[in-house]
């Protein structure tokens, strides 16, 4: 029995390597996401992994900004009805 070694053409070899790299990256990301679910464990993600995991830049109001914006509502509310005793 003879064994024949097949050499892939350059394009196919590059594609095979890319598929392998993509699969490895997906497996690592999956493991990091599972680790991140462990209470107290701080998993570290590089920017590309974070983007793939669906991370985003938090751009919501800070608590302080929300409190400060509440002041604007004072002018927008209707004045409260007051009852004065007429004598």
């Amino acid at each position: 029995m003879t064994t024949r070694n097949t050499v892939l053409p350059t394009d196919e070899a590059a594609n095979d390597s890319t598929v392998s790299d993509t699969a490895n990256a997906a497996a690592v990301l999956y493991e990091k996401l599972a680790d991140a679910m462990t209470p107290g464990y701080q998993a570290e993600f590089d920017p590309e992994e974070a983007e793939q995991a669906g991370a985003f830049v938090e751009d919501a109001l800070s608590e302080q900004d929300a409190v400060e914006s509440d002041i604007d509502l004072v002018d927008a509310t209707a004045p409260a009805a007051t009852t004065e005793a007429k004598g």
Side-chain angles (χ1 to χ4, degrees), residues 12-75:
E12 288 182 31
N15 288 339
D16 187 43
S17 175
T18 302
V19 170
S20 177
D21 289 345
T22 303
N24 288 339
V28 168
L29 180 59
Y30 180 78
E31 288 180 27
K32 285 184 177 185
L33 288 170
D35 288 343
M37 298 300 290
T38 304
Y41 183 79
Q42 294 182 355
E44 293 186 15
F45 296 86
D46 65 30
E48 184 178 320
E49 290 171 335
E51 186 175 331
Q52 289 174 354
F56 57 92
V57 174
E58 181 60 65
D59 59 355
L61 290 175
S62 69
E63 185 176 355
Q64 182 64 33
D65 289 340
V67 169
E68 289 173 2
S69 71
D70 186 31
I71 294 170
D72 297 337
L73 295 176
V74 172
D75 295 331

